[in-house]
Amino acid sequence: MTTPTSRRTGRPRAVTEQAILDAALLQLDAGGAASVSVRGIAAQVGIAPNALYTYYPNKAAVLRALVERFLGEVNHDRFIDRQLPWRQRVEALALELRTHLVAHPGAVHLLLGGPMDGPNALALREVLSEVLADAGSRPDDAARGSYVLMVYLLGAIALEVAEIHQPDTAPTEPERIATRRAALDTIPAEIYPRTSRTAGTVAKYFTTEQFLWGLQRVLDGLDPHA
Amino acid sequence: MTTPTSRRTGRPRAVTEQAILDAALLQLDAGGAASVSVRGIAAQVGIAPNALYTYYPNKAAVLRALVERFLGEVNHDRFIDRQLPWRQRVEALALELRTHLVAHPGAVHLLLGGPMDGPNALALREVLSEVLADAGSRPDDAARGSYVLMVYLLGAIALEVAEIHQPDTAPTEPERIATRRAALDTIPAEIYPRTSRTAGTVAKYFTTEQFLWGLQRVLDGLDPHA
DNA sequence: ACCTGAACACCGTTCAAGT
DNA sequence: ACCTGAACACCGTTCAAGT
């Protein structure tokens, strides 16, 4: 909690916590969450692997700090502006979050891996809660609604990232659709008779448009004046 | 794709694919997704670690097969019954999925880790799509709506599981709330002035009630007659 | 106080050899 | 065809020793 700005004595630190997080993010972007390693981070910043334990108690703490810093880069500008229509405020936040996470696909895993209870994660929920309150929701509904929004945003981005960016040699888009259709064909027709008819439709939507369409439906459900 | 029922020649198999998946699930339940290992599975079923590569090409394939089997255990009974109100059908499916996943928290990670394009994953989406179609949605809206529902269900369960079941010594519920409040207090009051007022409210909801409340809001948004 | 080298108990996967 | 032992190139973490 307390952050002493200078160390008492002894040898100066060779690197900074930020440099360690930078290295972790680099590894994350390069090879996905599975390829982030203590040894790799240490090599990148130029210290012995075990020296990292002077900065963070263990690997999990490094990843937690990375998630926190990551969320801190999202919470900024125009969502506080109460002049804008509330739906527009949520949409802007949603798109910003999505942009950040799609740019660092491995981070999604980390986000959903642990409890979202860091300061920045809570700040995100608070922002959403305030927007809903401004929209006219009663406090309880605003709080619960902010949870529903978080669920939708993180869930949608998680599924999108899982679709797009599987760790190894990802098949191209047409290949993936073909695979999906083939898989679909193995479903017994007696059980899901309408399957083959709607298969193409189901497979079609994985875009910003789908993301925003879903968001609008969720907002419809949360709109206190609907 | 073809499933030969008998092997051509040579030594009989020592175990079955199912036994391997059983062992994987056991490891998953015991220590979370991180503690599932090829060597652990092999030890459990009583073969050498590398013998496992006769059954599956690699660890990822084992986990993929486990996810598929897992989803297969969910898709059953009363969601096909067109007599029931459509919201009730979705709610039943949602609760069944949630029960299964909360019972095997490590599986959530696996589900969200890869693309949901196996036969059973698609069947799940198809069921939801059909329910929405029965509710009166046009085919496109039903397909897109089924995606929104999947996002909500998996997202909500993922967040819930992450809250409840972090891998190591999980703090008790009051401890967690205290931690969350403490974290919240570090948010600068000038930026989020209403934070402290709503903190208690935000922290309060992580229950079946919240899960179903959110589901109802999503269904409100997807209801073609709303 | 922070760093290093060495070690411990693990990983996933491959290869050559047995039956 | 399936199994095994041995090996390779990794992990996260700890400990004793250096400065």
Side-chain angles (χ1 to χ4, degrees), chain B residues 157-181:
Chain B
I157 296 167
L159 286 187
E160 182 177 354
V161 162
E163 273 287 319
I164 296 172
H165 189 90
Q166 59 214 76
D168 255 345
T169 49
T172 63
E173 176 67 17
E175 278 171 27
R176 283 220 326 284
I177 290 176
T179 303
R180 234 182 294 173
R181 277 180 203 273

Side-chain angles (χ1 to χ4, degrees), chain A residues 43-86:
Chain A
Q44 201 119 49
V45 299
I47 58 178
N50 48 359
L52 201 140
Y53 291 79
T54 315
Y55 297 84
Y56 294 99
N58 50 44
K59 184 186 177 181
V62 176
L63 298 179
R64 232 179 296 126
L66 183 59
V67 165
E68 257 313 283
R69 194 181 72 166
F70 198 88
L71 285 174
E73 291 162 2
V74 173
N75 275 345
H76 287 311
D77 17 347
R78 57 198 174 282
F79 326 110
I80 325 284
D81 183 354
R82 308 244 187 116
Q83 311 304 343
L84 292 172
W86 68 279

